[in-house]
Amino acid sequence: MRGVPLQNLPTALTAPRSRALALCALPVLALFAVAAFVPLPYTVEWPGVTADTLGTYKGRPVITVTGAQQRATEGQLRMVTITATEPGHRNSLWDSLRAWGDPEQVVVPTEEVYPQSNPKQANEVTQQQMTQSRDDATTAALNYLHLSPDQVKVAIDLGDIGGPSAGQMLALGIVDKIAGDGRGGDLTGGRTVAGTGTIDSAGRIGPVGGVPLKTQAAARDGATVFLLPRSECTQAKVNTPDGLQLVPVDTLAESVAALQALHDGGAVPHC
């Protein structure tokens, strides 16, 4: 095939200025092409698994009570998680831009998710946080029920799930399995209730972060009610799934009272 003579091309394409701009654009385009695949210090997060603290996780009971009669329960109390790219994984610019365009994903600096750059150390820290969360949830629940740890033993098994954010839902699960709503019924009223929040041994519920992703996970797995730390209401209202009622609380006692009010048709806190 014969080429097109330069004299037949538009003047705008053959002018020295145009040719110079075209030559300059080539390295810029190449730079962007390379940058799209260069690892960046960002982590992508998305809604993770949920687990019913009244039921089983990976075939094993989440909560087992000895020293007190364990109730048969209805409904669910689901703790929720966030899944993130591994601590040693670096996302490219292309990965990050794609995640920014997805309402069910967020991009955050890796150091905020994994302060420990070593993947093994990061996993050890999250498991230590879960151990502390289990202990505090047990103490808070038994204190609420006016029971002694010498009388009642609680075992909690959430497999390889780590971190501190299951505290509130674990404490509620213990209360429901031992005492229910205190009137012969279930705390859930037969509902699927999800939630998040740390808990200390005194029953105070603290913030955890990532609530918009957790509400997505809760709704996906059938929850209609979501318990959360009161301080995270504003964050929770971002992309709240339809049909999911946000219930803010500050303490375990408030969580129990809110669930009882839901069952009775009383006033329930809202964001």
Side-chain angles (χ1 to χ4, degrees):
M1 178 181 291
R2 298 177 62 187
V4 179
L6 289 178
Q7 61 268 27
N8 294 336
L9 291 175
T11 304
L13 296 180
T14 58
R17 177 184 174 87
S18 298
R19 291 200 300 270
L21 287 174
L23 290 173
C24 291
L26 289 175
V28 173
L29 290 173
L31 180 62
F32 274 106
V34 172
F37 298 98
V38 171
L40 298 175
Y42 291 98
T43 293
V44 177
E45 297 179 329
W46 60 93
V49 300
T50 72
D52 178 17
T53 62
L54 298 175
T56 61
Y57 180 68
K58 293 188 174 180
R60 299 174 64 88
V62 175
I63 296 173
T64 303
V65 177
T66 55
Q69 185 173 357
Q70 186 167 291
R71 300 175 62 254
T73 58
E74 294 184 2
Q76 300 179 16
L77 289 168
R78 303 195 77 87
M79 57 80 64
V80 294
T81 68
I82 292 173
T83 301
T85 47
E86 294 295 324
H89 177 80
R90 293 265 179 146
N91 294 288
S92 68
L93 175 62
W94 174 247
D95 293 330
S96 299
L97 289 174
R98 186 168 49 190
W100 267 313
D102 187 336
E104 291 193 1
Q105 295 188 10
V106 298
V107 181
V108 294
T110 298
E111 62 183 13
E112 291 184 12
V113 183
Y114 302 111
Q116 305 79 17
S117 58
N118 183 297
K120 181 180 178 181
Q121 186 180 8
N123 183 63
E124 290 174 352
V125 169
T126 60
Q127 289 304 314
Q128 290 168 0
Q129 290 173 330
M130 173 55 78
T131 298
Q132 186 65 52
S133 180
R134 291 198 306 254
D135 293 345
D136 288 342
T138 299
T139 301
L142 295 182
N143 285 343
Y144 174 82
L145 296 171
H146 305 292
L147 294 172
S148 164
D150 295 329
Q151 299 172 282
V152 180
K153 303 297 182 185
V154 178
I156 296 174
D157 186 351
L158 276 171
D160 57 357
I161 294 177
S165 65
Q168 174 178 201
M169 302 311 290
L170 288 171
L172 286 171
I174 296 168
V175 171
D176 202 12
K177 278 183 170 286
I178 295 175
D181 63 1
R183 301 170 294 185
D186 298 298
L187 277 181
T188 63
R191 297 176 178 83
T192 296
V193 177
T196 192
T198 64
I199 198 166
D200 65 16
S201 58
R204 292 183 291 259
I205 294 168
V208 290
V211 174
L213 295 180
K214 292 180 177 180
T215 57
Q216 297 289 331
R220 180 199 65 207
D221 290 354
T224 57
V225 176
F226 191 85
L227 297 164
L228 70 153
R230 191 179 304 276
S231 61
E232 294 188 302
C233 260
T234 300
Q235 187 183 156
K237 289 190 286 188
V238 177
N239 295 327
T240 306
D242 292 338
L244 187 66
Q245 183 176 359
L246 301 177
V247 179
V249 291
D250 288 320
T251 67
L252 176 59
E254 288 184 10
S255 298
V256 173
L259 292 177
Q260 290 173 336
L262 276 169
H263 181 63
D264 296 339
V268 180
H270 60 86
C271 287

